[in-house]
Amino acid sequence: MLGDITPRDFLRDYWHKKPLIIRKAFPGFTGLMTPSELIELSLSEDAQSRLVTFDKEKWSLKEGPFEKRHFKKLPKSWTLLVQGVNHHLASGGRLLKEFDFVPHARLDDLMVSYAPDGGGVGPHYDSYDVFLLQGMGKRRWQISSSADRTLVPDAPLRILSSFEPEEEWVLESGDMLYLPPKYAHNGIAVGDSMTYSIGFRAPSNIELAREFLVYLQDHIEMEGMYEDPDLALQDHPAEIGESMLEKVSEVLLRIRWGKSDVERFLGIYLSEPKPHLFFDPPDRPISEKRFVEAMGKRGVRLDPKSQMLFTQDHLFINGEALSFVGLDEEYLKSFADARSSPAASTDPETMSLLYQWYRDGYIEIGEEGDD
Ligand code: SIN
Ligand code: CO
């Protein structure tokens, strides 16, 4: 899929560093859905969609969910973008699997765009790594290494005002362009065009810090309380005195965390479903006994919305943390890697856990591609 470059060489020479064009990365790939199926998805509450139009030299942006009428009177240049298509389309999840040479913890989602001839979202840069895979039709991609980040003023989306292409290609079905973060690019539909963006997430440091502090708030343990047997008479009763400041500073300096806190925090944070995602537990769940039998015959797979990650000692699923102690660690780790398993585990504890996940709507009976 990376042409004649191995994943190892790609990571060393291109990932997070420089663009790469790969002709026929997915030979024969023409897309996973039609424009009308994408429009249909953008009408749903569960999908995050945006409609970008360019008319009379003016950019506009509308957020979904949309109604059919939004697609009736559009200017000549427009683009519909739908985020998280892998949560709704099993084939989208299978496409993401092809990018398994990057850890699941870095993967964000599959975004699909549709634009008629001439449509695009304007020259811009993204803050994440992205593979732009051409589905239906063609798209002209222009890129620039320029660090000029001047934006078009008052536009509802970030458009670079002084974008000058240094290189350009017309991507055909199955061709793919990899771009590292902050690399300026501009995609223009050549005829009816659909692009599949495989995006990778990279939280900002401030987001990591804030989220870690939220985690710490719930997990911190501290003994004792404020004590001042040495209280001295103050000139100003309203003043927060030096000795009080010192005592409190000492207490705060005692806040400690270790690698295991970072491990648990990161697993919970990275596997947490996005706020708009909800799981659908089975309406009439089968019994645990029948579940075990069915899994033995047909295997199991993660719901497309589920995120399952692990560290050496812990397993994380959809924002929950578990220790591997007492569980079939090998089975669970390979289930997480493949997002599916052809068989049941022989360990009853592990099967009870999987049954609970089934009842929560986190997993489904049947191996990937079984549907
Ligand atoms: C698109 O698919 O139209 C835009 C994708 C991007 O430039 O990030
Ligand atoms: Co972009």
Side-chain angles (χ1 to χ4, degrees), residues 111 121-128 130 132 141 179 183-187 197:
M111 178 181 85
V121 299
H124 65 280
Y125 65 89
D126 301 304
S127 46
Y128 45 80
V130 65
L132 299 155
W141 283 105
L179 292 175
Y183 212 95
H185 55 285
N186 187 27
S197 300

Side-chain angles (χ1 to χ4, degrees), residues 111-181:
M111 178 181 85
V112 181
S113 74
Y114 166 71
D117 189 44
V121 299
H124 65 280
Y125 65 89
D126 301 304
S127 46
Y128 45 80
D129 303 81
V130 65
F131 289 92
L132 299 155
L133 169 62
Q134 187 59 27
M136 182 190 86
K138 298 179 195 175
R139 184 180 282 265
R140 182 183 311 280
W141 283 105
Q142 307 174 315
I143 64 168
S144 164
S145 61
S146 162
D148 185 343
R149 305 248 186 269
T150 320
L151 299 180
V152 171
D154 304 325
L157 59 168
R158 295 182 356 221
I159 312 270
L160 293 166
S161 60
S162 47
F163 177 75
E164 281 182 32
E166 288 169 355
E167 276 186 284
E168 70 167 55
W169 306 270
V170 174
L171 265 67
E172 303 199 10
S173 297
D175 292 348
M176 188 164 73
L177 174 64
Y178 162 75
L179 292 175

